């Protein structure tokens, strides 16, 4: 039997400057745990007194090893390339997500950290196929089928983390216990990845259509439900919980499948905008995203613009995929709380967002005309292939 550590615990959170990592750090600190946030970037918010911030890069093994001294548990959350133009920076995505994870595992072993909780993603399983109430017995999506580097590298990283479970610790302190949590899309007040982009599209008048089957279902997870799941997972790696989570992966969501666009309706309407009534076929929007990626590939090094949508974003939002929370409930004791988008709406309002009375100017006419022309051009190129495929 391994001895239980009775000293005050210190945990380290890679990516602790990011939205979720910071929130987790604050919650752990409230529970009386010493917390170190490890990140290349300083958090946007002020770091509360008592929590330490350590600037560092997971791509640099010596920096990770130095930071992990006297740590009991690592939450490895740092990642790169999840959304927007970042998705197209292949080299950095590989470096941070794969090399960075290898470094964290290596550093856990060499410094004697006994618990590692990895924040993975639904994408390790999902690649655009319909999944209804899937569970953890589903196989990984074959790596070559991932259309984006982020999902493929998160998958590789998760495999490496789970393979490392049971590895001997260098200093004879026992073995490393690891697990992976696979969250759905994260939301909550102050979220910086998806919501500001969505709100900027709404405010710039670009949210003119929805797409896909109105009955398609996806999932989201409130940041505080995800915090709860991570804390439970770290507990479930301990000896007093028979290391039940060791070597395991868990899907984590609010447990409420919902149509992607309907989920955002309270945000659109809460900010005083009209919800679009035009619905486009999924394959048309996918084709548009494909064209956008090609244009970005060609001109991206000269003009690194933010693509309106990428292919991954199209199927993540438009194709049904939701998972059972049963394993997380049973083994971790995870019970998602119910949240609404009201606090998100209030957060955006506090940032000055929301519909303001505006005149329809010549600039709006030019923009809407350009959007219409673009849509017609995409439809003209998409239509022959759509007809051929349906024959
Ligand atoms: N946001 C979502 O919807 C979502 C969904 C599923 C999974 N996830 C996963 O959840 C985790 C947290 O997501 P988030 O939305 O808080 O992202 P985030 O971008 O806010 O946080 C990631 C943090 O990692 C840091 N980072 C990047 N490269 C680093 C490096 N080389 N060394 C150290 N730190 C580095 C960034 O500076 C950032 O602060 C990520 O692992 C992500 O893959 C997110």
């Amino acid at each position: 039997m391994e001895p239980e550590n009775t000293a005050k615990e210190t945990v380290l959170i890679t990516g602790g400057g990011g939205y979720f990592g910071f929130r987790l750090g604050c919650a752990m600190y409230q529970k009386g745990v010493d917390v170190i946030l490890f990140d290349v970037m300083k958090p946007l918010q002020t770091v509360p007194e008592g929590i330490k911030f350590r600037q560092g890069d997971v791509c640099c093994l010596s920096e990770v090893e130095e930071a992990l001294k006297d740590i009991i548990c690592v939450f490895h959350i740092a990642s790169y390339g999840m959304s927007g133009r970042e998705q197209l920076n292949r080299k950095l995505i590989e470096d941070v997500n794969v090399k960075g994870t290898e470094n964290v595992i290596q550093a856990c072993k060499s410094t004697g950290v006994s618990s590692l909780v990895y924040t993975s993603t639904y994408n390790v399983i999902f690649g655009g196929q319909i999944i209804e109430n899937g569970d953890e017995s589903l196989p990984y999506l074959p790596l070559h089928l991932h259309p984006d580097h982020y999902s493929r590298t998160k998958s590789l990283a998760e495999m490496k983390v789970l393979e490392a479970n049971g590895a001997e610790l260098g200093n004879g302190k026992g073995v490393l216990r690891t697990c992976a949590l696979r969250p759905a899309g994260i939301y909550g007040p102050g979220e910086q990845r998806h919501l500001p982009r969505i709100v900027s599209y709404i405010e710039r008048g670009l949210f003119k259509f929805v797409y896909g089957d109105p009955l398609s279902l996806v999932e989201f997870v409130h940041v505080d439900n995800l915090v709860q799941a991570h804390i439970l997972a770290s507990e479930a790696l301990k000896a007093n919980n028979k290391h039940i989570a060791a070597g395991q992966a868990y899907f984590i969501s609010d447990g409420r499948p919902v149509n992607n666009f309907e989920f955002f309706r309270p945000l659109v309407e809460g900010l005083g905008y009209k919800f679009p009534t035009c619905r486009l076929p999924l394959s048309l929007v996918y084709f548009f995203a494909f064209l956008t990626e090609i244009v970005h590939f060609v001109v991206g090094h000269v003009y690194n613009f933010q693509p309106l949508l990428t292919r991954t974003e199209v199927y993540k939002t438009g194709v049904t995929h939701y998972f059972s929370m049963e394993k997380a409930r049973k083994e971790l004791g995870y019970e998602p709380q119910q949240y609404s988008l009201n606090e998100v709406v209030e957060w955006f309002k506090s940032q000055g967002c929301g519909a303001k009375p505006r005149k329809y100017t010549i600039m709006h006419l030019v923009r809407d005309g350009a959007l219409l022309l673009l849509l017609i051009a995409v439809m003209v190129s998409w239509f022959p292939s759509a007809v051929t495929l349906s024959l």
Side-chain angles (χ1 to χ4, degrees), residues 42-62:
K42 280 205 177 115
L44 288 176
Q45 306 93 317
T46 313
V47 180
E49 212 168 300
I51 296 184
K52 288 193 195 114
F53 172 74
R54 185 174 179 133
Q55 198 139 16
D57 187 344
V58 290
C59 300
C60 175
L61 178 61
S62 58

Side-chain angles (χ1 to χ4, degrees), residues 15 17-21 38-41 56-59 77-80 82 96 119-121 150 154 183-186 191 193-194:
Y19 180 61
F20 170 61
F38 179 91
D39 203 302
V40 273
M41 304 268 281
D57 187 344
V58 290
C59 300
I77 295 172
S79 83
Y80 188 82
M82 187 186 338
V96 176
T119 311
S120 182
T121 162
Y150 167 78
K154 288 291 283 187
I186 304 169
E191 193 276 341
R193 279 269 147 209
H194 315 294

